[in-house]
Amino acid sequence: MTKRSIITIPDPVLREVCAPIATVDDDIRALADDMLETMYDAPGIGLAASQIGILKRIFVLDVAKEDAPKEPMVFINPEIVWSSEDLSVYQEGCLSIPDYFEDVERPAEVAVKFLNREGNAQEIRADGLLATCVQHELDHLNGKLFIDYLSKLKRDRVVKKFTKQAKLAGKL
Ligand code: NI
């Protein structure tokens, strides 16, 4: 397993739409393992492939409580097949927008279809933090970030801040 570096805004890679994965093979499993290692190391509870510059439809997450055993999950070609009308609000953050947190309202429950690490089709119903996390990570695969749900004023402010930081770091 290799730890990869996490891309932060305003890198345009984060706005790319990821492509479906044709075959779940050892390369994809190795990618999933790298992503999990990168996520745990950060530390974070979810990571999408575009966040490490890989434009493939895969994300990983683990929403187990800190003192509980790890529960890594791998979602390949995920698709939300049902969303509840009920909404819930969570304070979200993102490894690509470090140290920035804002409340986001999303469907409280979703059903998601995906291929697991073994390439088997699975469908789960998620609520609570898992539901939010699945939607946040799936958004990444479509080039969407949680700041897109905020007011233009808030979004512009955070993008400006990170753009300035990237310039200072010589990354722009
Ligand atoms: Ni994120």
PDB file of all heavy atoms in Angstrom, residues 30-48:
ATOM      1  N   ALA A  30      -5.630  -2.523  -5.626  1.00  0.00           N
ATOM      2  CA  ALA A  30      -4.446  -1.831  -5.097  1.00  0.00           C
ATOM      3  C   ALA A  30      -4.738  -0.340  -4.943  1.00  0.00           C
ATOM      4  O   ALA A  30      -4.338   0.285  -3.952  1.00  0.00           O
ATOM      5  CB  ALA A  30      -3.248  -2.051  -6.026  1.00  0.00           C
ATOM      6  N   LEU A  31      -5.461   0.216  -5.925  1.00  0.00           N
ATOM      7  CA  LEU A  31      -5.856   1.632  -5.844  1.00  0.00           C
ATOM      8  C   LEU A  31      -6.738   1.858  -4.610  1.00  0.00           C
ATOM      9  O   LEU A  31      -6.530   2.809  -3.848  1.00  0.00           O
ATOM     10  CB  LEU A  31      -6.594   2.043  -7.130  1.00  0.00           C
ATOM     11  CG  LEU A  31      -7.251   3.427  -7.133  1.00  0.00           C
ATOM     12  CD1 LEU A  31      -6.212   4.540  -7.008  1.00  0.00           C
ATOM     13  CD2 LEU A  31      -8.088   3.627  -8.403  1.00  0.00           C
ATOM     14  N   ALA A  32      -7.714   0.959  -4.409  1.00  0.00           N
ATOM     15  CA  ALA A  32      -8.620   1.071  -3.259  1.00  0.00           C
ATOM     16  C   ALA A  32      -7.825   1.026  -1.950  1.00  0.00           C
ATOM     17  O   ALA A  32      -8.073   1.805  -1.027  1.00  0.00           O
ATOM     18  CB  ALA A  32      -9.662  -0.056  -3.286  1.00  0.00           C
ATOM     19  N   ASP A  33      -6.841   0.131  -1.885  1.00  0.00           N
ATOM     20  CA  ASP A  33      -6.023   0.003  -0.670  1.00  0.00           C
ATOM     21  C   ASP A  33      -5.187   1.259  -0.441  1.00  0.00           C
ATOM     22  O   ASP A  33      -5.064   1.737   0.694  1.00  0.00           O
ATOM     23  CB  ASP A  33      -5.136  -1.248  -0.753  1.00  0.00           C
ATOM     24  CG  ASP A  33      -5.973  -2.529  -0.741  1.00  0.00           C
ATOM     25  OD1 ASP A  33      -7.165  -2.460  -0.371  1.00  0.00           O
ATOM     26  OD2 ASP A  33      -5.438  -3.595  -1.115  1.00  0.00           O
ATOM     27  N   ASP A  34      -4.633   1.808  -1.512  1.00  0.00           N
ATOM     28  CA  ASP A  34      -3.872   3.068  -1.396  1.00  0.00           C
ATOM     29  C   ASP A  34      -4.776   4.193  -0.907  1.00  0.00           C
ATOM     30  O   ASP A  34      -4.380   5.013  -0.078  1.00  0.00           O
ATOM     31  CB  ASP A  34      -3.300   3.489  -2.759  1.00  0.00           C
ATOM     32  CG  ASP A  34      -2.082   2.673  -3.155  1.00  0.00           C
ATOM     33  OD1 ASP A  34      -1.680   1.786  -2.375  1.00  0.00           O
ATOM     34  OD2 ASP A  34      -1.533   2.929  -4.245  1.00  0.00           O
ATOM     35  N   MET A  35      -5.986   4.211  -1.450  1.00  0.00           N
ATOM     36  CA  MET A  35      -6.926   5.272  -1.062  1.00  0.00           C
ATOM     37  C   MET A  35      -7.305   5.156   0.407  1.00  0.00           C
ATOM     38  O   MET A  35      -7.390   6.163   1.115  1.00  0.00           O
ATOM     39  CB  MET A  35      -8.180   5.217  -1.952  1.00  0.00           C
ATOM     40  CG  MET A  35      -7.912   5.700  -3.384  1.00  0.00           C
ATOM     41  SD  MET A  35      -9.314   5.401  -4.486  1.00  0.00           S
ATOM     42  CE  MET A  35     -10.557   6.465  -3.745  1.00  0.00           C
ATOM     43  N   LEU A  36      -7.511   3.921   0.875  1.00  0.00           N
ATOM     44  CA  LEU A  36      -7.846   3.729   2.289  1.00  0.00           C
ATOM     45  C   LEU A  36      -6.679   4.165   3.178  1.00  0.00           C
ATOM     46  O   LEU A  36      -6.869   4.868   4.168  1.00  0.00           O
ATOM     47  CB  LEU A  36      -8.217   2.263   2.559  1.00  0.00           C
ATOM     48  CG  LEU A  36      -9.636   1.874   2.128  1.00  0.00           C
ATOM     49  CD1 LEU A  36      -9.791   0.357   2.063  1.00  0.00           C
ATOM     50  CD2 LEU A  36     -10.696   2.467   3.068  1.00  0.00           C
ATOM     51  N   GLU A  37      -5.469   3.785   2.782  1.00  0.00           N
ATOM     52  CA  GLU A  37      -4.302   4.169   3.579  1.00  0.00           C
ATOM     53  C   GLU A  37      -4.174   5.691   3.639  1.00  0.00           C
ATOM     54  O   GLU A  37      -3.919   6.272   4.695  1.00  0.00           O
ATOM     55  CB  GLU A  37      -3.029   3.545   2.990  1.00  0.00           C
ATOM     56  CG  GLU A  37      -1.842   3.809   3.890  1.00  0.00           C
ATOM     57  CD  GLU A  37      -0.530   3.232   3.371  1.00  0.00           C
ATOM     58  OE1 GLU A  37      -0.575   2.353   2.500  1.00  0.00           O
ATOM     59  OE2 GLU A  37       0.519   3.683   3.851  1.00  0.00           O
ATOM     60  N   THR A  38      -4.379   6.327   2.481  1.00  0.00           N
ATOM     61  CA  THR A  38      -4.284   7.789   2.393  1.00  0.00           C
ATOM     62  C   THR A  38      -5.354   8.449   3.269  1.00  0.00           C
ATOM     63  O   THR A  38      -5.082   9.415   3.978  1.00  0.00           O
ATOM     64  CB  THR A  38      -4.447   8.221   0.910  1.00  0.00           C
ATOM     65  OG1 THR A  38      -3.501   7.501   0.120  1.00  0.00           O
ATOM     66  CG2 THR A  38      -4.240   9.713   0.741  1.00  0.00           C
ATOM     67  N   MET A  39      -6.567   7.875   3.215  1.00  0.00           N
ATOM     68  CA  MET A  39      -7.681   8.423   3.996  1.00  0.00           C
ATOM     69  C   MET A  39      -7.427   8.293   5.505  1.00  0.00           C
ATOM     70  O   MET A  39      -7.592   9.253   6.250  1.00  0.00           O
ATOM     71  CB  MET A  39      -8.972   7.691   3.620  1.00  0.00           C
ATOM     72  CG  MET A  39     -10.199   8.144   4.395  1.00  0.00           C
ATOM     73  SD  MET A  39     -11.608   7.037   4.103  1.00  0.00           S
ATOM     74  CE  MET A  39     -11.237   5.703   5.256  1.00  0.00           C
ATOM     75  N   TYR A  40      -7.002   7.077   5.944  1.00  0.00           N
ATOM     76  CA  TYR A  40      -6.756   6.869   7.376  1.00  0.00           C
ATOM     77  C   TYR A  40      -5.616   7.759   7.869  1.00  0.00           C
ATOM     78  O   TYR A  40      -5.637   8.266   8.985  1.00  0.00           O
ATOM     79  CB  TYR A  40      -6.420   5.400   7.664  1.00  0.00           C
ATOM     80  CG  TYR A  40      -7.615   4.474   7.603  1.00  0.00           C
ATOM     81  CD1 TYR A  40      -7.606   3.344   6.790  1.00  0.00           C
ATOM     82  CD2 TYR A  40      -8.749   4.711   8.388  1.00  0.00           C
ATOM     83  CE1 TYR A  40      -8.693   2.485   6.727  1.00  0.00           C
ATOM     84  CE2 TYR A  40      -9.841   3.855   8.347  1.00  0.00           C
ATOM     85  CZ  TYR A  40      -9.814   2.744   7.515  1.00  0.00           C
ATOM     86  OH  TYR A  40     -10.885   1.898   7.469  1.00  0.00           O
ATOM     87  N   ASP A  41      -4.611   7.934   7.014  1.00  0.00           N
ATOM     88  CA  ASP A  41      -3.448   8.723   7.401  1.00  0.00           C
ATOM     89  C   ASP A  41      -3.787  10.204   7.559  1.00  0.00           C
ATOM     90  O   ASP A  41      -3.177  10.912   8.353  1.00  0.00           O
ATOM     91  CB  ASP A  41      -2.344   8.534   6.347  1.00  0.00           C
ATOM     92  CG  ASP A  41      -1.105   9.330   6.683  1.00  0.00           C
ATOM     93  OD1 ASP A  41      -0.360   8.876   7.572  1.00  0.00           O
ATOM     94  OD2 ASP A  41      -0.904  10.401   6.089  1.00  0.00           O
ATOM     95  N   ALA A  42      -4.777  10.675   6.764  1.00  0.00           N
ATOM     96  CA  ALA A  42      -5.046  12.128   6.681  1.00  0.00           C
ATOM     97  C   ALA A  42      -5.284  12.827   8.031  1.00  0.00           C
ATOM     98  O   ALA A  42      -4.633  13.863   8.276  1.00  0.00           O
ATOM     99  CB  ALA A  42      -6.170  12.393   5.683  1.00  0.00           C
ATOM    100  N   PRO A  43      -6.160  12.418   8.929  1.00  0.00           N
ATOM    101  CA  PRO A  43      -7.144  11.357   8.807  1.00  0.00           C
ATOM    102  C   PRO A  43      -8.461  11.927   8.291  1.00  0.00           C
ATOM    103  O   PRO A  43      -8.800  13.071   8.505  1.00  0.00           O
ATOM    104  CB  PRO A  43      -7.318  10.899  10.257  1.00  0.00           C
ATOM    105  CG  PRO A  43      -7.127  12.140  11.072  1.00  0.00           C
ATOM    106  CD  PRO A  43      -6.196  13.033  10.280  1.00  0.00           C
ATOM    107  N   GLY A  44      -9.209  11.044   7.602  1.00  0.00           N
ATOM    108  CA  GLY A  44     -10.513  11.443   7.102  1.00  0.00           C
ATOM    109  C   GLY A  44     -11.449  10.259   7.129  1.00  0.00           C
ATOM    110  O   GLY A  44     -11.033   9.135   7.440  1.00  0.00           O
ATOM    111  N   ILE A  45     -12.725  10.492   6.780  1.00  0.00           N
ATOM    112  CA  ILE A  45     -13.695   9.396   6.794  1.00  0.00           C
ATOM    113  C   ILE A  45     -14.149   9.018   5.387  1.00  0.00           C
ATOM    114  O   ILE A  45     -14.919   8.086   5.203  1.00  0.00           O
ATOM    115  CB  ILE A  45     -14.931   9.706   7.685  1.00  0.00           C
ATOM    116  CG1 ILE A  45     -15.663  10.968   7.202  1.00  0.00           C
ATOM    117  CG2 ILE A  45     -14.518   9.839   9.140  1.00  0.00           C
ATOM    118  CD1 ILE A  45     -17.016  11.171   7.903  1.00  0.00           C
ATOM    119  N   GLY A  46     -13.656   9.754   4.377  1.00  0.00           N
ATOM    120  CA  GLY A  46     -14.004   9.407   2.994  1.00  0.00           C
ATOM    121  C   GLY A  46     -12.985   9.992   2.048  1.00  0.00           C
ATOM    122  O   GLY A  46     -12.378  11.035   2.338  1.00  0.00           O
ATOM    123  N   LEU A  47     -12.773   9.302   0.924  1.00  0.00           N
ATOM    124  CA  LEU A  47     -11.840   9.811  -0.092  1.00  0.00           C
ATOM    125  C   LEU A  47     -12.267   9.283  -1.458  1.00  0.00           C
ATOM    126  O   LEU A  47     -12.509   8.092  -1.623  1.00  0.00           O
ATOM    127  CB  LEU A  47     -10.407   9.351   0.217  1.00  0.00           C
ATOM    128  CG  LEU A  47      -9.326   9.925  -0.708  1.00  0.00           C
ATOM    129  CD1 LEU A  47      -9.026  11.396  -0.371  1.00  0.00           C
ATOM    130  CD2 LEU A  47      -8.037   9.115  -0.615  1.00  0.00           C
ATOM    131  N   ALA A  48     -12.348  10.201  -2.418  1.00  0.00           N
ATOM    132  CA  ALA A  48     -12.696   9.822  -3.791  1.00  0.00           C
ATOM    133  C   ALA A  48     -11.434   9.856  -4.644  1.00  0.00           C
ATOM    134  O   ALA A  48     -10.491  10.607  -4.361  1.00  0.00           O
ATOM    135  CB  ALA A  48     -13.744  10.791  -4.341  1.00  0.00           C
TER     136      ALA A  48
END
